[in-house]
C-alpha cells in the first residue's frame, strides 16, 4: 500500500484524499492482474494515474503532470471504455461507483452508473 500511496503522491494526489476502500480495491485489482503477487512499479504508477485523473479532473491533472501525461491517460481511459474489461476500466468504474470521480470526467467520457 505504501508504494501505491507514493505513486498517488507522485501524480499530485495526496493519499489521504483517497478513501481507504478505493485504495484497497485498486491494490487488490493490481495484485489480481499479477496473479496474486505484488504489482510491478509500472502497473502501480499507471493505476495511480487513472485514479488521480478521475479524482482531480483533466485540468488539475494537467496542471500537476503536464499535457503529455494527461493526453496519455485520456487515451487509456478511451481505450478502457471501448473494451470495458481491463484494469483501467475497472479503476474508472471504481472511481465512479465510489463517487470520487470529478463531474467533468463523467461529462467528458459520458459515464453513468447503473441505477439501482
Amino acid at each position: 500500500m505504501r508504494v501505491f500511496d507514493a505513486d498517488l503522491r507522485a501524480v499530485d494526489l495526496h493519499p489521504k484524499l483517497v478513501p481507504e476502500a478505493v485504495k484497497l480495491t485498486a491494490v487488490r485489482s493490481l495484485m489480481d492482474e499479477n496473479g496474486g503477487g505484488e504489482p510491478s512499479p509500472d502497473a502501480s504508477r499507471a493505476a495511480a494515474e487513472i485514479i488521480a485523473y478521475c479524482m482531480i479532473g483533466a485540468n488539475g491533472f494537467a496542471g500537476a503532470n503536464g499535457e503529455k501525461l494527461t493526453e496519455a491517460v485520456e487515451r487509456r481511459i478511451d481505450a478502457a471504455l471501448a473494451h470495458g474489461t481491463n484494469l483501467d476500466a475497472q479503476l474508472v468504474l471504481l472511481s465512479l461507483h465510489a463517487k470520487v470521480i470529478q463531474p467533468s470526467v463523467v461529462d467528458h467520457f459520458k459515464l453513468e452508473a447503473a441505477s439501482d
Side-chain angles (χ1 to χ4, degrees):
M1 184 69 78
R2 283 184 270 200
V3 171
F4 191 65
D5 283 351
D7 290 333
L8 289 168
R9 278 189 189 93
V11 291
D12 203 41
L13 179 60
H14 197 286
K16 290 191 183 242
L17 297 175
V18 182
E20 205 64 25
V22 171
K23 291 192 293 186
L24 288 170
T25 302
V27 170
R28 173 82 36 122
S29 296
L30 283 163
M31 292 175 71
D32 289 347
E33 285 286 312
N34 197 35
E38 288 296 314
S40 72
D42 289 342
S44 180
R45 171 65 187 237
E49 291 168 356
I50 293 286
I51 296 289
Y53 180 95
C54 288
M55 288 188 66
I56 63 178
N59 291 337
F61 191 86
N65 299 290
E67 289 296 323
K68 185 175 178 180
L69 181 58
T70 301
E71 290 170 2
V73 171
E74 288 174 342
R75 283 192 301 274
R76 287 175 46 211
I77 292 173
D78 280 331
L81 296 175
H83 296 93
T85 58
N86 67 11
L87 180 61
D88 287 347
Q90 292 172 27
L91 295 171
V92 172
L93 188 62
L94 171 63
S95 299
L96 181 65
H97 285 284
K99 297 180 176 28
V100 296
I101 196 166
Q102 281 290 315
S104 61
V105 175
V106 172
D107 292 342
H108 179 80
F109 292 101
K110 297 175 179 38
L111 302 173
E112 55 185 60
S115 301
D116 292 313

